[in-house]
Amino acid sequence: MAWGRFAFDSGLEYTGERTMGKETCGNVVLIGFMGSGKSSMGIRLSYRMRYVLEDTDKLIEAGAGKTISEIFAQEGEEAFRVMETELLEKLVEKRGQRIYSVGGGTPVRAVNRPLLKKLGTVVYLRTRPETVYERLRGDTTRPLLQGEDPLGKIRRLMEERESAYMETADIVLDVDEMTADQAADTIMRMAGRTGDGE
Ligand code: S3P
């Protein structure tokens, strides 16, 4: 697997040497803001690479027996953040080829960043605030974006989180102008995989 070289050759932003020789079997960890396409990309990559998909929001919902909105409303954001960290601690113990899609706020907690890096090659799906706003207009499943001035909230949160995303990422992919399939193709090529099930 030649993640690092591809990133240099392609002009994509490559943020470190860590990806070369990692002991993670080519695992991919998708991070990025809400609405950046992590979940849909995770499904595509999982299908095409024949890797197991671990979507942390879905795993938390299944474990808690509640939606994310219900967890935020009934237990508060901090309780959700604790659940995220506890889940990451379990996931790093798992073996096998995996795609991880994690919640938009996961890299913000400092303790989560080394866990994410340990899981695999971290790909940051970077978006502009306006893209997220357009994609999530009318969405009711993201508690942090309900209420007045969602675009302002997206801008503020994105700015606050950028350094955490950058610190965690091995590779940064600007996805505003890409469809999920194009972004998945790019990640597949970075992983040295050119077609379905190869
Ligand atoms: C959050 C993102 C959500 C979910 C929760 C909090 C965040 O996941 O974990 O609503 O803090 O950005 P997605 O990024 O999959 O929407």
Side-chain angles (χ1 to χ4, degrees):
M1 183 142 330
W3 284 93
R5 238 192 76 231
F6 179 86
F8 283 123
D9 292 349
S10 68
L12 284 165
E13 202 168 327
Y14 175 62
T15 57
E17 292 291 337
R18 285 188 328 99
T19 48
M20 307 296 279
K22 262 193 166 187
E23 294 164 12
T24 48
C25 319
N27 290 353
V28 180
V29 185
L30 300 170
I31 65 167
F33 204 78
M34 293 170 264
S36 58
K38 301 178 299 279
S39 300
S40 48
M41 190 98 60
I43 291 167
R44 282 172 173 78
L45 289 175
S46 158
Y47 176 78
R48 292 172 63 175
M49 293 169 80
R50 308 276 193 266
Y51 280 18
V52 175
L53 173 63
E54 308 274 15
D55 184 318
T56 58
D57 282 344
K58 292 205 167 53
L59 290 171
I60 288 172
E61 288 187 327
K66 301 175 188 180
T67 64
I68 304 278
S69 300
E70 287 166 344
I71 297 171
F72 270 67
Q74 295 166 14
E75 304 181 41
E77 180 174 351
E78 185 52 27
F80 173 73
R81 299 301 172 198
V82 171
M83 290 177 199
E84 281 188 310
T85 301
E86 285 173 354
L87 177 60
L88 289 181
E89 283 165 348
K90 283 193 197 127
L91 291 176
V92 291
E93 298 304 322
K94 291 197 179 183
R95 293 279 167 268
Q97 298 169 319
R98 291 184 142 74
I99 308 291
Y100 299 91
S101 166
V102 305
T106 310
V108 177
R109 264 193 147 200
V111 66
N112 294 344
R113 296 200 280 270
L115 293 170
L116 291 167
K117 291 177 187 200
K118 203 170 164 189
L119 283 176
T121 297
V122 182
V123 181
Y124 168 25
L125 305 181
R126 187 163 60 184
T127 45
R128 288 190 292 268
E130 294 74 16
T131 305
V132 170
Y133 177 68
E134 286 304 324
R135 285 187 189 168
L136 296 186
R137 210 198 270 261
D139 173 89
T140 56
T141 65
R142 272 56 172 217
L144 292 178
L145 300 183
Q146 307 310 304
E148 297 288 298
D149 189 19
L151 180 58
K153 184 84 189 278
I154 292 167
R155 286 200 175 110
R156 275 195 306 282
L157 271 181
M158 222 181 241
E159 207 180 310
E160 277 169 32
R161 292 176 172 186
E162 178 66 9
S163 62
Y165 291 145
M166 291 303 287
E167 187 188 318
T168 316
D170 294 304
I171 287 157
V172 183
L173 196 56
D174 286 309
V175 292
D176 292 290
E177 315 302 338
M178 287 185 186
T179 63
D181 279 322
Q182 287 168 333
D185 282 343
T186 307
I187 293 174
M188 295 277 291
R189 285 203 310 277
M190 291 159 93
R193 309 271 292 251
T194 49
D196 292 318
E198 275 179 32

